[in-house]
Amino acid sequence: MPPTAAVQPSDVTHRMVPTPAGRAHVAELGAGPLVLLLHGFPESWYSWRRQLPALAAAGYRAAAVDVRGYGRSSRPTDIAAYGLRSLAEDNVAVVRALGEESAVVVGHDWGSPIAAHSALLHPEVFRAVGLLSVPYSPPGGPRPGDVFARMREDGGPGSDEFYVSYFQQPGRAESEIEPDVRGWLAGIYAALSAETMPPPDGPHPLFVREGGTIRERLPHDRLPSWLTEAELDYYAGEFERTGFGGALARYRNMDRDWEDLADLNGAVLSQPSLFLGGSLDSSTTWMGPAIEAHAHTLPGLHPASRLLDGCGHWIQQERPEEVNETLIRWLGDLDHPTRPR
């Protein structure tokens, strides 16, 4: 199977394993050292469909998880159940349920800070951490809610509201997304993908005008080439079944995490690490200072870490060949650190 081939749901082994939240759904392929794959918003295990066969072919046991609140995994009703400490405990439970003592953890988008904090909190379990699209930022600093409010006041277009602030009130974002899940997902995937994103001189799709919605600024006439109609159907089917409350609860815990993780303020992530981002991704633009600080905050950063030129946010789906090649090179260097790079 070529590295960029995409597995379908029926091609992998699906397991339901116990976690502190109840159960987690895991899709896995291959045998060898365990690599735990954590998706972001609004995705599922399926966002790793082009990594699972590549990692398996390279000699790894690749396990893509539906994060708490998504897909077939448990969805607690309490918003406070979606804090980073709780999600890290889920990941430890998954590793143990798969019969392993340790794993490499790789996350994209929200999966990136979940992976990083899993490694911070449980270094005995997570021996290395890969971060896609969202760079590592140590706990601490200003309260997140205040930061995002200032993005509207000082950095957003006019008086528009930053999407993270827009997501805070339960029910608000759900009311625009859930009546047409497929259409909203198609729009957000296109808006943040390099080949279909809106022109840079127009309104940014992640800022919301007063009284408006995210949907009204999303492209609705095209899909990026990395996403087929059938793949969009799979994503839409998952969220049509679950709704978005569990997924959005992660955003609604950011200030709570800021308090809950105060004992880790400024913590360096010392395990071997990798960072890959897209040069056209707003995440890497807005978080440029965090990337510049990686020399200090990620002392084990692999030299293959970089921004992929001309790539948007959905990095492992937009550019699977480069992501797979880099992941496999990094994973090989973890076990053979003296071989030429």
Side-chain angles (χ1 to χ4, degrees):
M1 188 178 290
T4 56
V7 295
Q8 297 306 311
S10 60
D11 296 331
V12 301
T13 298
H14 294 269
R15 303 181 189 275
M16 299 298 296
V17 302
T19 68
R23 299 197 299 171
H25 168 237
V26 183
E28 65 170 299
L29 193 66
L34 179 62
V35 181
L36 201 66
L37 303 169
L38 308 178
H39 64 82
F41 176 90
E43 301 175 286
S44 75
W45 76 268
Y46 194 56
S47 68
W48 301 103
R49 63 195 176 279
R50 291 180 173 85
Q51 282 65 56
L52 288 167
L55 292 173
Y60 296 94
R61 183 184 185 186
V65 181
D66 275 338
V67 174
R68 180 186 296 206
Y70 288 82
R72 303 184 211 174
S73 293
S74 295
R75 298 186 301 280
T77 57
D78 183 6
I79 291 175
Y82 294 84
L84 284 171
R85 285 187 183 273
S86 296
L87 296 174
E89 292 295 335
D90 283 353
N91 294 330
V92 172
V94 169
V95 172
R96 299 289 187 243
L98 295 178
E100 304 288 350
E101 293 297 320
S102 67
V104 174
V105 61
V106 179
H108 169 255
D109 183 80
W110 258 123
S112 176
I114 295 171
H117 285 78
S118 296
L120 277 179
L121 292 163
H122 301 282
E124 76 286 359
V125 176
F126 299 105
R127 64 188 181 98
V129 57
L131 310 174
L132 304 186
S133 298
V134 176
Y136 176 59
S137 182
R143 183 181 292 271
D146 296 337
V147 172
F148 298 127
R150 284 198 298 272
M151 287 187 74
R152 173 173 62 178
E153 294 164 0
D154 301 327
S159 61
D160 295 348
E161 183 179 15
F162 192 51
Y163 81 105
V164 176
S165 298
Y166 178 79
F167 281 170
Q168 294 305 305
Q169 181 182 340
R172 186 183 183 194
E174 291 94 323
S175 68
E176 77 155 274
I177 301 171
E178 292 178 358
D180 177 19
V181 168
R182 192 180 192 276
W184 195 90
L185 288 175
I188 199 69
Y189 295 151
L192 304 183
S193 185
E195 62 183 299
T196 48
M197 62 177 52
D201 57 349
H204 197 289
L206 294 182
F207 285 87
V208 186
R209 68 175 180 84
E210 185 176 356
T213 64
I214 292 175
R215 178 186 295 270
E216 67 188 21
R217 291 182 174 174
L218 302 180
H220 293 293
D221 57 347
R222 59 198 183 278
L223 290 182
S225 61
W226 57 264
L227 182 67
T228 68
E229 296 284 352
E231 289 168 338
L232 177 60
D233 284 342
Y234 185 85
Y235 279 125
E238 295 292 273
F239 285 107
E240 285 167 349
R241 184 179 69 253
T242 65
F244 276 76
L248 290 165
R250 175 80 288 278
Y251 290 92
R252 295 164 184 164
N253 271 276
M254 298 179 76
D255 281 352
R256 184 178 289 110
D257 285 330
W258 181 79
E259 297 174 354
D260 190 38
L261 296 166
D263 60 314
L264 295 175
N265 283 358
V268 167
L269 188 57
S270 59
Q271 290 97 319
S273 57
L274 176 76
F275 172 71
L276 291 176
S279 68
L280 300 181
D281 184 0
S282 295
S283 296
T284 60
T285 302
W286 292 329
M287 299 189 72
I291 297 174
E292 294 173 3
H294 276 174
H296 170 68
T297 61
L298 295 177
L301 190 66
H302 193 275
S305 300
R306 66 194 186 280
L307 297 182
L308 302 187
D309 187 47
C311 184
H313 182 66
W314 317 107
I315 183 169
Q316 78 269 32
Q317 298 177 86
E318 290 187 52
R319 304 278 278 275
E321 293 113 332
E322 290 166 84
V323 170
N324 292 349
E325 180 183 358
T326 305
L327 283 175
I328 291 167
R329 173 185 168 190
W330 172 60
L331 290 167
D333 285 348
L334 292 177
D335 297 319
H336 304 282
T338 60
R339 73 181 185 183
R341 290 175 174 174

